[in-house]
Amino acid sequence: MKINLSKNRTNAKSFYPYFDDSNSVSKEINERIIKDKDYFSKKYQIKKYFLDNGEITVIRLGKKSDFDLETSRRFGSIVINTAKKDYDENFDIILDSDFFDNNFSKEDSTYALLEGLYLTNYEYDIFKTKEGKKFEIKSINLTSDKEIDFEKIDNKAQNVRDAIFLTRDLVNAPANVVNIATLQKEAERIANENNLKLKVKDKNALLKEGFNLLYSVGKAGAEEPRLVEIEYKYDETSPNICLIGKGIVFDTGGLNLKPENFMADMKSDMAGAGSALSLIEYIAKSKMPINVTTIMPLAENAIDSNSYRPGDVILGYNKKSVEILNTDAEGRLILADALSYADTKDFDLVIDFATLTGAAVIALGTKIAASFFRNNSVKEKMFNSSKKCGEPIWELPLFEEYKENLKGDIADIANLGTPQRQAGSIMGALFLSEFIKNGNWIHFDIAGTSHLDKEWYYNPKGGTGFIMRTI
Ligand code: BES
Ligand code: ZN
Ligand code: ZN
């Protein structure tokens, strides 16, 4: 799907963003809309009109004063979904002066539209047998008389799309296709293509260096657990940022086996690792002026005579002993070792992404990610960015007084809070907090947002890539 910007209309089919307080709508369109006003009541409502020289689909975007970048993205998503339904291969989107009459720069408004268009045009169909040719949108012509450096924003939008699609592909792929070896190979590809340093710790290295939590969680899996680390170095003086992603390639729950309806989606339990990996590729490709290290603890939480057990005590990388109360709380264990390892390197900022707790889905649903912060200025920046990107986050507290609920019977700390079902996401985050001292640490629990059961504007059903644009 190719998108370009030109001053002229080239297609008989077009889409038009309509504002209630429009000044610039053309007479031929306006006459039709005015007659129809009664029907035209909801934001994002669609109306199709046949004009003398073609067909125009009008999408109502509300008042100009209510316009924000998310409106632009959602407009883009509706255009793509409508065009696909109607088999429109080539069409115009008419951007007259109303579209730019808002508080945002013309570049930002257009860029958000590009994100909406590109991110919606996603399908995960590689396993479907093709009968005939699948329908694809070929070209979109944005028409505007504004001077916009289109190539620059289009490049950025395409790079963002590629990064998000990589995460979505990795999340949507079943566990018999994307496993530990595949994620390592993907990391190798990214390292090779961008000249990045890559380190892989295999089972022997994990045991030798004391990553016992990661090793124990993964030791029952058909593939050995691993820690993959990629480094993008910009220069000596830029800030050093660490991205850590939970990489459980499949979560059966282990010996505390998940009930069947809770297991089906667990191929997506590596969404955090997928995001941290795709992010470093984007950052390296765009040559961003920061140093970034991505760390992926990779393991399968499987069942075998060799599985780690409830009751086992395991010594973490930071030498704290952990009492396993539930083998399904495995994400916090592999992350604990990765966070303690990151702590030895003195990063300016450490961010982890994890499909950590079902409790995050219960508390915030699938459209808001849970976030935990130690530093207020970092938090403020994250909230601003999340708002701008249309990726809602909400803070949950690292409530110190609950720490005593993580006491183990015979070890330093238990991997589960008691009473068991209270404040589940906070208990997971508090457990992690015991394994990292860095004051600029952020934890995102993306259990709810990383994949959707039902499409949501430009987020399709399945893997989303949620939180990546905010970062
Ligand atoms: N991977 C799951 C969390 C999850 C649940 C992600 C639903 C996506 C959707 C995690 O490993 C897990 O099983 N957590 C347990 C923790 C509990 C045993 C303390 C949970 O949330 O039930
Ligand atoms: Zn689990
Ligand atoms: Zn899990």
Side-chain angles (χ1 to χ4, degrees):
M1 183 176 87
K2 196 141 176 28
I3 306 178
N4 73 292
L5 179 79
S6 80
K7 298 213 189 319
N8 306 315
R9 291 176 58 175
T10 52
N11 294 294
K13 295 218 174 184
S14 58
F15 287 82
Y16 180 74
Y18 174 74
F19 294 92
D20 298 354
D21 44 354
S22 157
N23 320 316
S24 59
V25 58
S26 78
K27 206 170 135 242
E28 60 174 339
I29 299 168
N30 208 24
E31 273 170 7
R32 308 294 289 267
I33 294 171
I34 288 193
K35 274 194 226 140
D36 244 354
K37 253 215 163 118
D38 293 347
Y39 302 103
F40 217 59
S41 57
K42 280 203 316 268
K43 193 167 177 181
Y44 303 122
Q45 199 178 337
I46 302 172
K47 278 271 165 187
K48 202 178 278 188
Y49 300 103
F50 295 94
L51 306 171
D52 294 342
N53 54 352
E55 186 187 309
I56 186 163
T57 302
V58 177
I59 300 170
R60 178 174 176 254
L61 299 188
K63 282 207 216 95
K64 279 192 275 182
S65 54
D66 292 338
F67 177 90
D68 58 11
L69 300 179
E70 184 64 5
T71 303
S72 189
R73 278 181 215 108
R74 291 182 177 192
F75 167 60
S77 79
I78 291 163
V79 168
I80 295 295
N81 286 330
T82 310
K84 279 196 167 170
K85 229 175 38 225
D86 293 350
Y87 298 99
D88 291 335
E89 281 190 341
N90 308 292
F91 53 86
D92 292 350
I93 300 178
I94 305 164
L95 302 178
D96 60 20
S97 55
D98 284 323
F99 183 75
F100 299 101
D101 184 16
N102 54 52
N103 295 325
F104 301 89
S105 71
K106 50 191 194 304
E107 283 77 17
D108 281 357
S109 302
T110 310
Y111 174 75
L113 173 58
L114 291 177
E115 275 193 348
L117 294 167
Y118 282 130
L119 294 180
T120 310
N121 193 34
Y122 174 85
E123 232 143 309
Y124 190 72
D125 56 5
I126 59 169
F127 296 116
K128 286 191 179 153
T129 320
K130 288 192 178 123
E131 279 169 22
K133 209 170 150 287
K134 197 186 70 180
F135 175 74
E136 269 174 45
I137 296 170
K138 291 204 171 111
S139 76
I140 302 176
N141 179 42
L142 307 181
T143 68
S144 165
D145 53 14
K146 295 266 187 289
E147 290 303 326
I148 294 171
D149 185 354
F150 185 74
E151 206 186 312
K152 187 172 156 202
I153 56 175
D154 188 45
N155 265 334
K156 180 175 169 189
Q158 290 196 36
N159 286 338
V160 167
R161 171 200 62 192
D162 293 348
I164 297 217
F165 282 14
L166 174 57
T167 303
R168 287 179 183 175
D169 284 350
L170 292 171
V171 170
N172 290 334
N176 63 336
V177 172
V178 165
N179 51 28
I180 294 172
T182 341
L183 286 169
Q184 181 179 330
K185 268 199 212 111
E186 202 58 26
E188 284 162 359
R189 176 191 64 76
I190 291 168
N192 288 337
E193 286 177 12
N194 298 283
N195 228 330
L196 310 182
K197 226 192 267 166
L198 177 80
K199 276 189 236 160
V200 179
K201 295 187 200 297
D202 63 5
K203 171 190 150 183
N204 293 334
L206 292 180
L207 281 174
K208 193 164 151 233
E209 295 175 39
F211 292 86
N212 299 312
L213 293 167
L214 172 56
Y215 169 72
S216 300
V217 167
K219 67 182 176 166
E223 294 176 285
E224 287 169 359
R226 234 158 276 185
L227 189 97
V228 174
E229 182 180 349
I230 317 178
E231 194 184 332
Y232 161 67
K233 184 128 187 137
Y234 183 76
D235 65 11
E236 289 301 326
T237 51
S238 299
N240 298 305
I241 296 165
C242 180
L243 307 174
I244 301 180
K246 170 176 172 183
I248 293 292
V249 291
F250 194 78
D251 184 8
T252 64
L255 292 177
N256 291 106
L257 188 65
K258 282 184 185 294
E260 59 173 333
N261 48 339
F262 286 91
M263 204 192 291
D265 276 340
M266 284 303 133
K267 65 175 185 182
S268 65
D269 214 16
M270 36 53 69
S275 307
L277 186 64
S278 310
L279 274 167
I280 200 168
E281 181 176 26
Y282 173 84
I283 289 162
K285 257 200 202 153
S286 333
K287 302 203 165 34
M288 293 179 89
I290 43 175
N291 302 316
V292 179
T293 301
T294 280
I295 300 176
M296 300 191 292
L298 302 176
E300 176 169 357
N301 192 17
I303 295 190
D304 183 78
S305 60
N306 186 35
S307 290
Y308 80 127
R309 317 165 189 84
D312 282 0
V313 173
I314 303 163
L315 197 64
Y317 185 84
N318 74 346
K319 302 294 179 220
K320 276 189 190 170
S321 60
V322 181
E323 191 170 341
I324 306 304
L325 296 187
N326 190 314
T327 59
D328 198 11
E330 84 297 337
R332 62 197 70 183
L333 300 173
I334 68 166
L335 284 171
D337 273 354
L339 289 166
S340 306
Y341 173 63
D343 232 9
T344 63
K345 305 206 170 187
D346 222 20
F347 288 107
D348 298 299
L349 178 64
V350 178
I351 310 176
D352 80 67
F353 313 93
T355 47
L356 203 69
T357 64
V361 195
I362 302 298
L364 298 172
T366 56
K367 295 175 182 173
I368 309 171
S371 56
F372 298 82
F373 301 89
R374 273 182 175 153
N375 174 308
N376 280 329
S377 91
V378 169
K379 173 167 98 187
E380 205 181 306
K381 284 184 188 141
M382 234 8 119
F383 267 81
N384 286 339
S385 182
S386 125
K387 188 157 192 296
K388 190 173 170 197
C389 296
E391 295 182 317
I393 60 175
W394 199 252
E395 185 189 17
L396 293 178
L398 289 163
F399 191 64
E400 290 284 324
E401 283 187 45
Y402 286 167
K403 270 194 183 164
E404 66 177 24
N405 297 359
L406 282 171
K407 280 225 173 80
D409 253 350
I410 59 168
D412 295 332
I413 187 170
N415 78 330
L416 193 67
T418 26
Q420 220 203 95
R421 305 199 56 203
Q422 292 182 9
S425 303
I426 296 176
M427 297 316 293
L430 281 175
F431 180 89
L432 297 181
S433 76
E434 289 290 311
F435 293 84
I436 177 159
K437 295 201 175 84
N438 195 312
N440 290 330
W441 164 60
I442 307 175
H443 162 57
F444 285 109
D445 193 332
I446 54 169
T449 54
S450 61
H451 59 108
L452 295 174
D453 291 336
K454 190 176 170 287
E455 63 165 43
W456 176 40
Y457 294 104
Y458 49 89
N459 291 294
K461 183 179 166 168
T464 56
F466 194 95
I467 212 64
M468 288 172 58
R469 287 181 302 113
T470 296
I471 304 299

